[in-house]
Amino acid sequence: MSRWKEERRRDFYYKEAKKLGYRARSAFKLIEIQQRFGIIKRGDRIIDLGASPGGWSQVALEYSNGKVIGIDILPVKKLNGLIFIKGDATSEDTKEKVKEELGDEKVDVVLSDLSPNLSGNRYLDQARSFWLCMKALEYVDDFLREGGRFVCKGFEGSDLDEFLKEVRKRFKIVRKFSPRASKKRSREVYIIAIGKRSS
Ligand SMILES: C[S@@+](CC[C@H](N)C(=O)[O-])C[C@H]1O[C@@H](n2cnc3c(N)ncnc32)[C@H](O)[C@@H]1O
């Protein structure tokens, strides 16, 4: 796709986000995932990793109308219904806070749009993203109920196969999905996992 067409497309999602009141263009990626895979059901409890500025949390709240816990190092402006934990999703401290929030409850969905600060070095970015993906899996292990669903952003590359192996151990159905709302030149891809196996 030419740079001009790519910019026009990005501009389209940016304008749509503004028009519909979403805080980020990325909201459309989750909407596409939802339309294709029906990841979120009414009443679902959801953890949203890498929630700032809040686009995915908005979509998660709209579809579930349930308990949504967002986590990010960066702030999220007040969003009705969102329980926001400001902190590093990879730290034990943050997981403790999630535990306090949930008590003995489990969640139905774990979402991760966690992204490292991209350096432009493909291998370094892939490695950092892989590490964040593995950290997101810890939330699956600790907080997701049996039968639950998981969406995780990753980057195409050799590490992704390693991550997919780990996801397949835990879920019955695993798919890769590239939303139209992703930048065309980006190597980002979303892993969609359905039906958490019993441990
Ligand atoms: C692509 S943005 C998420 C956009 C969000 N899904 C939305 O729709 O508004 C990625 C986010 O991951 C967050 N992030 C990266 N590493 C993190 C970490 N270790 N703990 C918490 N958040 C992290 C960044 O601060 C950033 O806000």
Side-chain angles (χ1 to χ4, degrees):
M1 186 182 286
S2 73
R3 186 166 292 271
W4 178 77
K5 272 196 183 155
E6 168 70 5
E7 267 161 24
R8 208 175 58 164
R9 202 175 55 98
R10 285 172 62 183
D11 196 43
F12 166 77
Y13 284 113
Y14 173 77
K15 281 191 185 139
E16 279 297 291
K18 268 207 130 162
K19 195 164 88 192
L20 299 174
Y22 289 121
R23 295 178 180 185
R25 304 164 53 253
S26 49
F28 293 107
K29 299 180 199 170
L30 185 57
I31 291 172
E32 277 184 72
I33 291 168
Q34 175 65 13
Q35 285 170 349
R36 181 78 168 265
F37 300 96
I39 284 293
I40 301 169
K41 319 263 184 229
R42 217 72 196 146
D44 272 356
R45 286 154 299 190
I46 299 172
I47 293 176
D48 178 18
L49 301 169
S52 175
W56 277 34
S57 293
Q58 286 179 294
V59 174
L61 283 162
E62 271 171 30
Y63 283 107
S64 75
N65 203 22
K67 183 178 222 169
V68 179
I69 301 175
I71 298 168
D72 206 296
I73 336 177
L74 298 177
V76 169
K77 276 198 216 133
K78 186 165 169 40
L79 185 57
N80 276 344
L82 178 70
I83 299 160
F84 180 62
I85 298 173
K86 189 165 179 293
D88 181 347
T90 69
S91 80
E92 286 306 314
D93 206 38
T94 302
K95 277 207 264 169
E96 271 310 313
K97 287 184 185 149
V98 175
K99 235 175 249 165
E100 277 165 29
E101 193 55 59
L102 287 172
D104 290 332
E105 275 179 49
K106 295 270 177 185
V107 299
D108 307 284
V109 182
V110 172
L111 303 173
S112 172
D113 199 21
L114 286 169
S115 292
N117 279 331
L118 295 180
S119 67
N121 176 324
R122 197 165 113 188
Y123 301 104
L124 185 61
D125 292 341
Q126 262 173 34
R128 286 178 175 162
S129 160
F130 172 70
W131 187 71
L132 288 174
C133 287
M134 292 305 290
K135 288 291 169 186
L137 260 190
E138 291 180 13
Y139 284 80
V140 165
D141 291 340
D142 293 351
F143 302 115
L144 188 66
R145 71 163 168 84
E146 193 182 322
R149 289 144 261 139
F150 175 48
V151 174
C152 186
K153 172 157 63 190
F155 286 92
E156 285 287 5
S158 53
D159 287 345
L160 192 68
D161 291 335
E162 190 58 35
F163 178 61
L164 279 167
K165 248 191 237 163
E166 289 301 321
V167 179
R168 287 199 184 99
K169 280 185 203 162
R170 292 163 173 84
F171 291 88
K172 293 182 183 150
I173 299 170
V174 180
R175 299 277 181 270
K176 282 201 291 184
F177 181 65
S178 301
R180 271 169 297 148
S182 288
K183 294 173 195 165
K184 267 287 165 284
R185 271 180 288 270
S186 142
R187 299 171 69 83
E188 94 182 359
V189 63
Y190 287 84
I191 306 305
I192 316 293
I194 296 169
K196 186 184 171 192
R197 300 177 197 276
S198 57
S199 40

